[in-house]
Amino acid sequence: TVEAFVRHFSHLHKVHIALLRGVNVSGKNKIAMKELKAALQTHGYQNVVTLLNSGNVIFDIEGKNEDVLMQEIRTIVQEAFGLDVPTFVTTAAALADILAHAPAWWGTENKEVYDNLIFLLQPTGFEEVYAAIGAPKEGIEQIQAYGNCIFWSFDLNDYRKSVWWSKTASGEIKDKMTIRTANTMRKVLSLCNL
């Protein structure tokens, strides 16, 4: 029914997703997800669920917008773990909208293509990222911006020829984004619907 849909949709606005940048990568910025969950719960975050070890957190909270939550989670992580970790926060409803606008070439069953979703940390915009990285390598990779995200896919066999593969991991621009795979973000969204 329409009422049930509206109830479900309003639930997705209450459910938030935090994506911590550069957590547990190559032995750096080590944070146990169990401890992160506990730290958030002590600050009033409810129904906290983590996925994988890379800083994907789903939680319920009301009365706080994404800007406030980004700063608040960053502060909680600093206090609990002594790490300054940039964080991207969005709602489940917004993530559902992002994934619904994925280009046809992104997130397919093709195992030779690696599909990523780049989340831009505020106040970074697509123009700034594009200016820093440049055009994708034709025939090797594709990008498409949507809101504060960039869909990005590249050929696994030729990833070293990709312009974006090396540049998203180096230079100042890497600190202005956090990247997740298509499969990870689909799994995150599926957990939001519980």
Side-chain angles (χ1 to χ4, degrees), residues 14-21 23-24 31-42 44-61 66 69 73-74 76-77 81 85-92 95 119 178 180 184-185 187-189 191-192:
K14 184 178 123 179
V15 179
H16 284 75
I17 298 149
L19 305 173
L20 281 67
R21 192 199 163 280
V23 167
N24 298 325
I31 298 177
M33 292 300 104
K34 187 176 179 181
E35 292 175 20
L36 176 61
K37 179 178 178 177
L40 292 172
Q41 287 172 327
T42 62
Y45 292 62
Q46 299 176 331
N47 302 317
V48 181
V49 176
T50 62
L51 175 68
L52 303 173
N53 205 29
S54 52
N56 307 298
V57 188
I58 300 152
F59 57 90
D60 288 353
I61 200 154
E66 288 72 51
L69 291 168
I73 293 170
R74 194 167 182 169
I76 291 168
V77 170
F81 305 100
V85 177
T87 302
F88 181 93
V89 176
T90 190
T91 63
L95 178 60
F119 295 90
T178 189
R180 299 295 189 275
T184 296
M185 295 321 299
K187 179 66 174 173
V188 164
L189 187 60
L191 291 172
C192 293

Tab-separated table of all heavy atoms in Angstrom, residues 14-21 23-24 31-42 44-61 66 69 73-74 76-77 81 85-92 95 119 178 180 184-185 187-189 191-192:
chain	number	residue	atom	x	y	z
A	14	LYS	N	15.749	8.007	8.312
A	14	LYS	CA	16.277	7.955	9.670
A	14	LYS	C	17.563	7.125	9.713
A	14	LYS	O	18.458	7.372	10.515
A	14	LYS	CB	15.224	7.336	10.595
A	14	LYS	CG	15.597	7.313	12.055
A	14	LYS	CD	14.455	6.726	12.866
A	14	LYS	CE	14.961	5.544	13.650
A	14	LYS	NZ	13.947	4.924	14.492
A	15	VAL	N	17.656	6.131	8.827
A	15	VAL	CA	18.831	5.262	8.765
A	15	VAL	C	19.949	6.000	8.046
A	15	VAL	O	19.768	6.519	6.950
A	15	VAL	CB	18.503	3.941	8.028
A	15	VAL	CG1	19.743	3.065	7.943
A	15	VAL	CG2	17.380	3.198	8.724
A	16	HIS	N	21.107	6.038	8.678
A	16	HIS	CA	22.268	6.713	8.103
A	16	HIS	C	23.407	5.738	7.856
A	16	HIS	O	23.469	4.671	8.477
A	16	HIS	CB	22.750	7.833	9.037
A	16	HIS	CG	21.899	9.052	9.005
A	16	HIS	ND1	20.668	9.117	9.618
A	16	HIS	CD2	22.083	10.254	8.407
A	16	HIS	CE1	20.144	10.313	9.415
A	16	HIS	NE2	20.982	11.028	8.691
A	17	ILE	N	24.291	6.130	6.979
A	17	ILE	CA	25.459	5.333	6.633
A	17	ILE	C	26.683	6.228	6.778
A	17	ILE	O	26.697	7.345	6.247
A	17	ILE	CB	25.365	4.832	5.181
A	17	ILE	CG1	24.146	3.925	5.011
A	17	ILE	CG2	26.645	4.117	4.751
A	17	ILE	CD1	23.542	3.976	3.638
A	18	ALA	N	27.675	5.751	7.495
A	18	ALA	CA	28.946	6.457	7.607
A	18	ALA	C	30.017	5.610	6.927
A	18	ALA	O	30.097	4.403	7.154
A	18	ALA	CB	29.310	6.685	9.072
A	19	LEU	N	30.806	6.259	6.088
A	19	LEU	CA	31.914	5.596	5.400
A	19	LEU	C	33.197	6.278	5.854
A	19	LEU	O	33.446	7.430	5.504
A	19	LEU	CB	31.748	5.714	3.878
A	19	LEU	CG	30.417	5.205	3.313
A	19	LEU	CD1	30.315	5.524	1.831
A	19	LEU	CD2	30.260	3.707	3.562
A	20	LEU	N	33.983	5.578	6.661
A	20	LEU	CA	35.225	6.137	7.180
A	20	LEU	C	36.327	5.952	6.138
A	20	LEU	O	36.418	4.893	5.525
A	20	LEU	CB	35.618	5.457	8.496
A	20	LEU	CG	34.867	5.933	9.743
A	20	LEU	CD1	33.400	5.568	9.694
A	20	LEU	CD2	35.519	5.370	10.992
A	21	ARG	N	37.118	6.977	5.936
A	21	ARG	CA	38.142	6.936	4.898
A	21	ARG	C	39.445	6.318	5.399
A	21	ARG	O	39.957	6.671	6.450
A	21	ARG	CB	38.450	8.356	4.397
A	21	ARG	CG	39.272	8.324	3.145
A	21	ARG	CD	39.985	9.639	2.881
A	21	ARG	NE	41.034	9.363	1.926
A	21	ARG	CZ	42.206	8.828	2.236
A	21	ARG	NH1	42.497	8.547	3.473
A	21	ARG	NH2	43.081	8.565	1.293
A	23	VAL	N	40.428	3.365	6.617
A	23	VAL	CA	40.496	2.596	7.864
A	23	VAL	C	40.982	1.171	7.565
A	23	VAL	O	40.536	0.546	6.601
A	23	VAL	CB	39.108	2.559	8.533
A	23	VAL	CG1	39.048	1.537	9.643
A	23	VAL	CG2	38.755	3.932	9.071
A	24	ASN	N	41.901	0.684	8.397
A	24	ASN	CA	42.406	-0.693	8.287
A	24	ASN	C	42.952	-1.020	6.899
A	24	ASN	O	42.722	-2.102	6.356
A	24	ASN	CB	41.313	-1.702	8.681
A	24	ASN	CG	40.882	-1.526	10.126
A	24	ASN	OD1	41.681	-1.192	10.987
A	24	ASN	ND2	39.607	-1.714	10.381
A	31	ILE	N	41.249	0.254	13.354
A	31	ILE	CA	40.080	0.424	14.207
A	31	ILE	C	39.287	-0.878	14.163
A	31	ILE	O	38.855	-1.312	13.090
A	31	ILE	CB	39.173	1.587	13.732
A	31	ILE	CG1	39.915	2.926	13.789
A	31	ILE	CG2	37.900	1.644	14.579
A	31	ILE	CD1	39.106	4.095	13.259
A	32	ALA	N	39.093	-1.502	15.318
A	32	ALA	CA	38.252	-2.702	15.379
A	32	ALA	C	36.800	-2.256	15.250
A	32	ALA	O	36.355	-1.345	15.953
A	32	ALA	CB	38.472	-3.429	16.696
A	33	MET	N	36.075	-2.885	14.338
A	33	MET	CA	34.690	-2.481	14.093
A	33	MET	C	33.813	-2.670	15.328
A	33	MET	O	32.904	-1.881	15.587
A	33	MET	CB	34.118	-3.251	12.899
A	33	MET	CG	34.752	-2.888	11.557
A	33	MET	SD	34.569	-1.129	11.102
A	33	MET	CE	36.217	-0.494	11.449
A	34	LYS	N	34.117	-3.679	16.133
A	34	LYS	CA	33.364	-3.905	17.368
A	34	LYS	C	33.533	-2.712	18.314
A	34	LYS	O	32.580	-2.264	18.956
A	34	LYS	CB	33.856	-5.197	18.023
A	34	LYS	CG	33.052	-5.646	19.207
A	34	LYS	CD	33.551	-6.989	19.721
A	34	LYS	CE	32.769	-7.434	20.932
A	34	LYS	NZ	33.245	-8.721	21.450
A	35	GLU	N	34.769	-2.196	18.380
A	35	GLU	CA	35.043	-1.040	19.255
A	35	GLU	C	34.436	0.237	18.693
A	35	GLU	O	33.959	1.097	19.442
A	35	GLU	CB	36.548	-0.880	19.437
A	35	GLU	CG	37.192	-2.003	20.229
A	35	GLU	CD	38.698	-1.889	20.298
A	35	GLU	OE1	39.234	-0.781	20.076
A	35	GLU	OE2	39.345	-2.919	20.567
A	36	LEU	N	34.445	0.376	17.366
A	36	LEU	CA	33.806	1.537	16.732
A	36	LEU	C	32.311	1.529	17.016
A	36	LEU	O	31.725	2.562	17.363
A	36	LEU	CB	34.066	1.530	15.221
A	36	LEU	CG	33.381	2.623	14.415
A	36	LEU	CD1	33.834	4.013	14.848
A	36	LEU	CD2	33.648	2.425	12.916
A	37	LYS	N	31.711	0.375	16.870
A	37	LYS	CA	30.275	0.234	17.155
A	37	LYS	C	29.968	0.652	18.591
A	37	LYS	O	29.039	1.422	18.845
A	37	LYS	CB	29.867	-1.225	16.916
A	37	LYS	CG	28.417	-1.525	17.203
A	37	LYS	CD	28.088	-2.989	16.895
A	37	LYS	CE	26.651	-3.303	17.235
A	37	LYS	NZ	26.287	-4.692	16.884
A	38	ALA	N	30.781	0.177	19.529
A	38	ALA	CA	30.570	0.514	20.945
A	38	ALA	C	30.732	2.010	21.190
A	38	ALA	O	29.948	2.618	21.932
A	38	ALA	CB	31.547	-0.282	21.810
A	39	ALA	N	31.740	2.626	20.545
A	39	ALA	CA	31.972	4.065	20.722
A	39	ALA	C	30.777	4.872	20.227
A	39	ALA	O	30.357	5.845	20.868
A	39	ALA	CB	33.244	4.483	19.988
A	40	LEU	N	30.220	4.482	19.101
A	40	LEU	CA	29.060	5.194	18.557
A	40	LEU	C	27.836	4.998	19.450
A	40	LEU	O	27.067	5.938	19.691
A	40	LEU	CB	28.770	4.722	17.129
A	40	LEU	CG	29.826	5.112	16.085
A	40	LEU	CD1	29.544	4.425	14.757
A	40	LEU	CD2	29.889	6.625	15.886
A	41	GLN	N	27.662	3.782	19.946
A	41	GLN	CA	26.503	3.509	20.799
A	41	GLN	C	26.538	4.335	22.082
A	41	GLN	O	25.493	4.786	22.562
A	41	GLN	CB	26.440	2.010	21.137
A	41	GLN	CG	25.993	1.170	19.946
A	41	GLN	CD	26.121	-0.323	20.196
A	41	GLN	OE1	27.014	-0.782	20.901
A	41	GLN	NE2	25.236	-1.098	19.591
A	42	THR	N	27.733	4.575	22.614
A	42	THR	CA	27.824	5.381	23.836
A	42	THR	C	27.458	6.839	23.580
A	42	THR	O	27.175	7.581	24.514
A	42	THR	CB	29.244	5.330	24.459
A	42	THR	OG1	30.178	5.868	23.527
A	42	THR	CG2	29.639	3.929	24.844
A	44	GLY	N	24.836	7.654	21.638
A	44	GLY	CA	23.417	7.699	21.290
A	44	GLY	C	23.052	7.163	19.916
A	44	GLY	O	21.889	7.244	19.506
A	45	TYR	N	24.023	6.616	19.198
A	45	TYR	CA	23.710	6.017	17.896
A	45	TYR	C	23.040	4.663	18.150
A	45	TYR	O	23.511	3.886	18.993
A	45	TYR	CB	24.989	5.841	17.071
A	45	TYR	CG	25.603	7.154	16.625
A	45	TYR	CD1	26.071	8.098	17.539
A	45	TYR	CD2	25.709	7.458	15.275
A	45	TYR	CE1	26.628	9.300	17.132
A	45	TYR	CE2	26.269	8.666	14.850
A	45	TYR	CZ	26.714	9.574	15.784
A	45	TYR	OH	27.265	10.768	15.369
A	46	GLN	N	21.953	4.396	17.423
A	46	GLN	CA	21.165	3.188	17.678
A	46	GLN	C	21.242	2.219	16.498
A	46	GLN	O	21.505	2.618	15.363
A	46	GLN	CB	19.707	3.563	17.940
A	46	GLN	CG	19.533	4.465	19.152
A	46	GLN	CD	18.099	4.901	19.343
A	46	GLN	OE1	17.331	5.017	18.398
A	46	GLN	NE2	17.729	5.132	20.595
A	47	ASN	N	20.964	0.939	16.809
A	47	ASN	CA	20.937	-0.118	15.782
A	47	ASN	C	22.188	-0.078	14.905
A	47	ASN	O	22.118	-0.152	13.682
A	47	ASN	CB	19.678	-0.005	14.921
A	47	ASN	CG	18.415	-0.084	15.753
A	47	ASN	OD1	18.311	-0.908	16.657
A	47	ASN	ND2	17.466	0.796	15.487
A	48	VAL	N	23.347	0.070	15.548
A	48	VAL	CA	24.615	0.201	14.814
A	48	VAL	C	25.037	-1.149	14.248
A	48	VAL	O	25.095	-2.146	14.963
A	48	VAL	CB	25.726	0.764	15.724
A	48	VAL	CG1	27.024	0.912	14.948
A	48	VAL	CG2	25.303	2.101	16.321
A	49	VAL	N	25.311	-1.165	12.955
A	49	VAL	CA	25.770	-2.366	12.255
A	49	VAL	C	26.997	-1.972	11.442
A	49	VAL	O	27.012	-0.908	10.812
A	49	VAL	CB	24.678	-2.908	11.298
A	49	VAL	CG1	25.201	-4.094	10.492
A	49	VAL	CG2	23.423	-3.292	12.056
A	50	THR	N	28.043	-2.808	11.472
A	50	THR	CA	29.206	-2.553	10.624
A	50	THR	C	29.289	-3.651	9.572
A	50	THR	O	28.809	-4.768	9.777
A	50	THR	CB	30.513	-2.511	11.444
A	50	THR	OG1	30.722	-3.778	12.065
A	50	THR	CG2	30.469	-1.408	12.482
A	51	LEU	N	29.897	-3.305	8.445
A	51	LEU	CA	30.080	-4.262	7.353
A	51	LEU	C	31.546	-4.242	6.933
A	51	LEU	O	32.104	-3.173	6.663
A	51	LEU	CB	29.186	-3.906	6.162
A	51	LEU	CG	29.379	-4.757	4.912
A	51	LEU	CD1	28.919	-6.196	5.150
A	51	LEU	CD2	28.629	-4.155	3.723
A	52	LEU	N	32.144	-5.412	6.861
A	52	LEU	CA	33.548	-5.565	6.509
A	52	LEU	C	34.418	-4.843	7.538
A	52	LEU	O	33.933	-4.400	8.583
A	52	LEU	CB	33.828	-5.075	5.085
A	52	LEU	CG	32.998	-5.756	3.992
A	52	LEU	CD1	33.233	-5.084	2.639
A	52	LEU	CD2	33.333	-7.240	3.923
A	53	ASN	N	35.683	-4.709	7.253
A	53	ASN	CA	36.610	-4.115	8.211
A	53	ASN	C	37.058	-2.734	7.758
A	53	ASN	O	38.005	-2.182	8.285
A	53	ASN	CB	37.828	-5.043	8.373
A	53	ASN	CG	38.516	-4.855	9.701
A	53	ASN	OD1	37.880	-4.495	10.689
A	53	ASN	ND2	39.809	-5.071	9.730
A	54	SER	N	36.382	-2.192	6.736
A	54	SER	CA	36.857	-0.962	6.091
A	54	SER	C	36.089	0.295	6.485
A	54	SER	O	36.144	1.295	5.789
A	54	SER	CB	36.844	-1.143	4.573
A	54	SER	OG	35.570	-1.602	4.143
A	55	GLY	N	35.349	0.226	7.598
A	55	GLY	CA	34.696	1.429	8.091
A	55	GLY	C	33.380	1.756	7.427
A	55	GLY	O	33.122	2.909	7.075
A	56	ASN	N	32.528	0.749	7.246
A	56	ASN	CA	31.173	0.946	6.728
A	56	ASN	C	30.211	0.753	7.893
A	56	ASN	O	30.121	-0.349	8.448
A	56	ASN	CB	30.856	-0.086	5.635
A	56	ASN	CG	31.914	-0.098	4.551
A	56	ASN	OD1	32.123	0.881	3.866
A	56	ASN	ND2	32.599	-1.227	4.412
A	57	VAL	N	29.515	1.817	8.275
A	57	VAL	CA	28.672	1.765	9.468
A	57	VAL	C	27.254	2.219	9.131
A	57	VAL	O	27.059	3.247	8.486
A	57	VAL	CB	29.232	2.681	10.588
A	57	VAL	CG1	28.467	2.468	11.881
A	57	VAL	CG2	30.719	2.446	10.799
A	58	ILE	N	26.293	1.440	9.589
A	58	ILE	CA	24.874	1.768	9.409
A	58	ILE	C	24.307	2.021	10.806
A	58	ILE	O	24.625	1.286	11.751
A	58	ILE	CB	24.135	0.597	8.740
A	58	ILE	CG1	24.754	0.299	7.376
A	58	ILE	CG2	22.645	0.894	8.595
A	58	ILE	CD1	24.600	-1.137	6.942
A	59	PHE	N	23.504	3.061	10.934
A	59	PHE	CA	22.946	3.373	12.252
A	59	PHE	C	21.672	4.191	12.100
A	59	PHE	O	21.406	4.774	11.052
A	59	PHE	CB	23.969	4.145	13.097
A	59	PHE	CG	24.461	5.418	12.463
A	59	PHE	CD1	23.814	6.619	12.691
A	59	PHE	CD2	25.561	5.418	11.619
A	59	PHE	CE1	24.252	7.805	12.097
A	59	PHE	CE2	26.019	6.584	11.026
A	59	PHE	CZ	25.360	7.779	11.266
A	60	ASP	N	20.901	4.215	13.175
A	60	ASP	CA	19.699	5.049	13.249
A	60	ASP	C	20.002	6.240	14.142
A	60	ASP	O	20.615	6.093	15.196
A	60	ASP	CB	18.526	4.280	13.871
A	60	ASP	CG	17.964	3.207	12.956
A	60	ASP	OD1	18.385	3.139	11.783
A	60	ASP	OD2	17.111	2.432	13.419
A	61	ILE	N	19.546	7.390	13.687
A	61	ILE	CA	19.643	8.590	14.526
A	61	ILE	C	18.656	9.616	13.982
A	61	ILE	O	18.404	9.668	12.781
A	61	ILE	CB	21.084	9.148	14.565
A	61	ILE	CG1	21.256	10.049	15.794
A	61	ILE	CG2	21.445	9.872	13.286
A	61	ILE	CD1	22.681	10.146	16.281
A	66	GLU	N	23.507	15.423	8.007
A	66	GLU	CA	24.734	14.730	7.607
A	66	GLU	C	25.996	15.529	7.962
A	66	GLU	O	26.997	14.949	8.364
A	66	GLU	CB	24.714	14.416	6.104
A	66	GLU	CG	23.749	13.313	5.714
A	66	GLU	CD	22.288	13.700	5.795
A	66	GLU	OE1	21.903	14.743	5.230
A	66	GLU	OE2	21.523	12.960	6.452
A	69	LEU	N	26.697	15.042	11.603
A	69	LEU	CA	27.127	13.671	11.862
A	69	LEU	C	28.553	13.413	11.374
A	69	LEU	O	29.321	12.720	12.042
A	69	LEU	CB	26.155	12.683	11.202
A	69	LEU	CG	24.763	12.625	11.840
A	69	LEU	CD1	23.796	11.857	10.959
A	69	LEU	CD2	24.833	11.998	13.227
A	73	ILE	N	31.127	12.126	14.154
A	73	ILE	CA	31.775	10.810	14.073
A	73	ILE	C	33.289	10.969	14.009
A	73	ILE	O	34.033	10.209	14.640
A	73	ILE	CB	31.230	10.011	12.864
A	73	ILE	CG1	29.752	9.668	13.104
A	73	ILE	CG2	32.048	8.741	12.628
A	73	ILE	CD1	29.029	9.104	11.902
A	74	ARG	N	33.742	11.962	13.272
A	74	ARG	CA	35.193	12.221	13.202
A	74	ARG	C	35.747	12.515	14.601
A	74	ARG	O	36.819	12.022	14.973
A	74	ARG	CB	35.445	13.394	12.252
A	74	ARG	CG	36.889	13.557	11.840
A	74	ARG	CD	37.009	14.515	10.679
A	74	ARG	NE	38.390	14.655	10.236
A	74	ARG	CZ	38.756	15.261	9.110
A	74	ARG	NH1	37.848	15.770	8.307
A	74	ARG	NH2	40.027	15.345	8.779
A	76	ILE	N	34.353	11.558	17.517
A	76	ILE	CA	34.255	10.322	18.308
A	76	ILE	C	35.446	9.411	18.022
A	76	ILE	O	36.053	8.843	18.932
A	76	ILE	CB	32.918	9.590	18.009
A	76	ILE	CG1	31.734	10.391	18.572
A	76	ILE	CG2	32.925	8.171	18.580
A	76	ILE	CD1	30.364	9.923	18.088
A	77	VAL	N	35.804	9.289	16.746
A	77	VAL	CA	36.935	8.443	16.346
A	77	VAL	C	38.251	9.009	16.894
A	77	VAL	O	39.109	8.268	17.371
A	77	VAL	CB	36.982	8.275	14.805
A	77	VAL	CG1	38.287	7.615	14.360
A	77	VAL	CG2	35.783	7.464	14.321
A	81	PHE	N	40.034	6.554	19.404
A	81	PHE	CA	41.139	5.814	18.773
A	81	PHE	C	42.377	6.669	18.488
A	81	PHE	O	43.386	6.148	18.009
A	81	PHE	CB	40.661	5.170	17.465
A	81	PHE	CG	39.450	4.301	17.645
A	81	PHE	CD1	38.187	4.777	17.322
A	81	PHE	CD2	39.573	3.012	18.158
A	81	PHE	CE1	37.056	3.979	17.501
A	81	PHE	CE2	38.450	2.214	18.338
A	81	PHE	CZ	37.189	2.698	18.014
A	85	VAL	N	40.099	10.671	11.090
A	85	VAL	CA	39.594	9.928	9.937
A	85	VAL	C	38.434	10.683	9.288
A	85	VAL	O	37.348	10.776	9.863
A	85	VAL	CB	39.127	8.514	10.365
A	85	VAL	CG1	38.539	7.760	9.181
A	85	VAL	CG2	40.282	7.735	10.983
A	86	PRO	N	38.659	11.234	8.084
A	86	PRO	CA	37.559	11.876	7.377
A	86	PRO	C	36.420	10.879	7.166
A	86	PRO	O	36.667	9.683	6.926
A	86	PRO	CB	38.180	12.283	6.041
A	86	PRO	CG	39.649	12.347	6.302
A	86	PRO	CD	39.917	11.288	7.324
A	87	THR	N	35.193	11.366	7.262
A	87	THR	CA	34.031	10.484	7.189
A	87	THR	C	32.966	11.064	6.276
A	87	THR	O	32.671	12.259	6.336
A	87	THR	CB	33.449	10.277	8.606
A	87	THR	OG1	34.467	9.735	9.445
A	87	THR	CG2	32.266	9.328	8.594
A	88	PHE	N	32.400	10.218	5.444
A	88	PHE	CA	31.285	10.592	4.576
A	88	PHE	C	30.025	10.023	5.204
A	88	PHE	O	29.990	8.853	5.589
A	88	PHE	CB	31.484	10.004	3.177
A	88	PHE	CG	30.384	10.350	2.204
A	88	PHE	CD1	30.505	11.462	1.384
A	88	PHE	CD2	29.242	9.579	2.108
A	88	PHE	CE1	29.492	11.796	0.481
A	88	PHE	CE2	28.222	9.907	1.219
A	88	PHE	CZ	28.360	11.022	0.405
A	89	VAL	N	28.983	10.837	5.320
A	89	VAL	CA	27.716	10.371	5.889
A	89	VAL	C	26.585	10.681	4.922
A	89	VAL	O	26.517	11.778	4.348
A	89	VAL	CB	27.428	11.028	7.264
A	89	VAL	CG1	26.056	10.604	7.792
A	89	VAL	CG2	28.512	10.670	8.278
A	90	THR	N	25.704	9.712	4.760
A	90	THR	CA	24.517	9.900	3.926
A	90	THR	C	23.370	9.109	4.546
A	90	THR	O	23.572	8.383	5.528
A	90	THR	CB	24.785	9.457	2.466
A	90	THR	OG1	23.690	9.878	1.647
A	90	THR	CG2	24.973	7.948	2.353
A	91	THR	N	22.187	9.255	3.989
A	91	THR	CA	21.047	8.465	4.459
A	91	THR	C	20.874	7.253	3.556
A	91	THR	O	21.352	7.226	2.414
A	91	THR	CB	19.737	9.276	4.437
A	91	THR	OG1	19.441	9.627	3.076
A	91	THR	CG2	19.838	10.527	5.293
A	92	ALA	N	20.172	6.262	4.065
A	92	ALA	CA	19.864	5.088	3.255
A	92	ALA	C	19.031	5.487	2.047
A	92	ALA	O	19.214	4.955	0.940
A	92	ALA	CB	19.136	4.041	4.090
A	95	LEU	N	21.358	6.917	-0.524
A	95	LEU	CA	22.139	5.858	-1.170
A	95	LEU	C	21.274	5.089	-2.167
A	95	LEU	O	21.733	4.756	-3.264
A	95	LEU	CB	22.732	4.902	-0.133
A	95	LEU	CG	23.533	3.737	-0.722
A	95	LEU	CD1	24.715	4.226	-1.562
A	95	LEU	CD2	24.014	2.798	0.386
A	119	PHE	N	32.903	8.537	-3.115
A	119	PHE	CA	32.123	9.492	-2.328
A	119	PHE	C	33.017	10.684	-2.022
A	119	PHE	O	34.102	10.519	-1.457
A	119	PHE	CB	31.641	8.843	-1.025
A	119	PHE	CG	30.678	7.714	-1.245
A	119	PHE	CD1	31.145	6.414	-1.398
A	119	PHE	CD2	29.316	7.942	-1.318
A	119	PHE	CE1	30.272	5.360	-1.609
A	119	PHE	CE2	28.426	6.890	-1.534
A	119	PHE	CZ	28.909	5.594	-1.676
A	178	THR	N	36.376	8.968	-0.417
A	178	THR	CA	36.473	7.602	0.062
A	178	THR	C	35.784	6.733	-0.982
A	178	THR	O	34.790	7.138	-1.579
A	178	THR	CB	35.885	7.434	1.478
A	178	THR	OG1	36.199	6.123	1.963
A	178	THR	CG2	34.402	7.686	1.541
A	180	ARG	N	34.302	2.903	-2.394
A	180	ARG	CA	33.760	1.580	-2.077
A	180	ARG	C	33.388	0.872	-3.375
A	180	ARG	O	33.089	1.520	-4.378
A	180	ARG	CB	32.507	1.696	-1.197
A	180	ARG	CG	32.705	2.369	0.149
A	180	ARG	CD	33.628	1.566	1.054
A	180	ARG	NE	33.680	2.077	2.416
A	180	ARG	CZ	34.466	3.058	2.838
A	180	ARG	NH1	35.264	3.687	1.996
A	180	ARG	NH2	34.475	3.420	4.109
A	184	THR	N	29.892	-3.753	-2.293
A	184	THR	CA	29.851	-3.303	-0.894
A	184	THR	C	28.680	-2.373	-0.661
A	184	THR	O	27.931	-2.515	0.312
A	184	THR	CB	31.172	-2.600	-0.497
A	184	THR	OG1	32.236	-3.550	-0.578
A	184	THR	CG2	31.102	-2.031	0.910
A	185	MET	N	28.476	-1.420	-1.573
A	185	MET	CA	27.398	-0.453	-1.361
A	185	MET	C	26.021	-1.081	-1.534
A	185	MET	O	25.071	-0.698	-0.852
A	185	MET	CB	27.580	0.757	-2.279
A	185	MET	CG	28.836	1.568	-1.963
A	185	MET	SD	29.217	1.751	-0.186
A	185	MET	CE	27.767	2.625	0.420
A	187	LYS	N	25.378	-4.158	-0.687
A	187	LYS	CA	25.210	-4.902	0.572
A	187	LYS	C	24.854	-3.940	1.703
A	187	LYS	O	23.977	-4.245	2.531
A	187	LYS	CB	26.513	-5.660	0.890
A	187	LYS	CG	26.468	-6.452	2.178
A	187	LYS	CD	25.481	-7.593	2.107
A	187	LYS	CE	25.564	-8.458	3.365
A	187	LYS	NZ	24.496	-9.472	3.406
A	188	VAL	N	25.513	-2.793	1.755
A	188	VAL	CA	25.191	-1.785	2.775
A	188	VAL	C	23.719	-1.410	2.685
A	188	VAL	O	23.008	-1.375	3.690
A	188	VAL	CB	26.081	-0.534	2.629
A	188	VAL	CG1	25.518	0.647	3.409
A	188	VAL	CG2	27.505	-0.816	3.098
A	189	LEU	N	23.250	-1.134	1.478
A	189	LEU	CA	21.845	-0.735	1.311
A	189	LEU	C	20.898	-1.873	1.724
A	189	LEU	O	19.878	-1.614	2.358
A	189	LEU	CB	21.571	-0.315	-0.129
A	189	LEU	CG	20.181	0.268	-0.375
A	189	LEU	CD1	19.945	1.522	0.466
A	189	LEU	CD2	19.965	0.575	-1.851
A	191	LEU	N	21.382	-4.042	4.003
A	191	LEU	CA	21.354	-4.085	5.468
A	191	LEU	C	20.500	-2.963	6.047
A	191	LEU	O	19.960	-3.086	7.140
A	191	LEU	CB	22.778	-3.993	6.020
A	191	LEU	CG	23.681	-5.204	5.762
A	191	LEU	CD1	25.107	-4.909	6.194
A	191	LEU	CD2	23.142	-6.432	6.474
A	192	CYS	N	20.370	-1.860	5.321
A	192	CYS	CA	19.547	-0.730	5.776
A	192	CYS	C	18.056	-1.071	5.772
A	192	CYS	O	17.261	-0.435	6.460
A	192	CYS	CB	19.759	0.488	4.878
A	192	CYS	SG	21.389	1.196	4.990
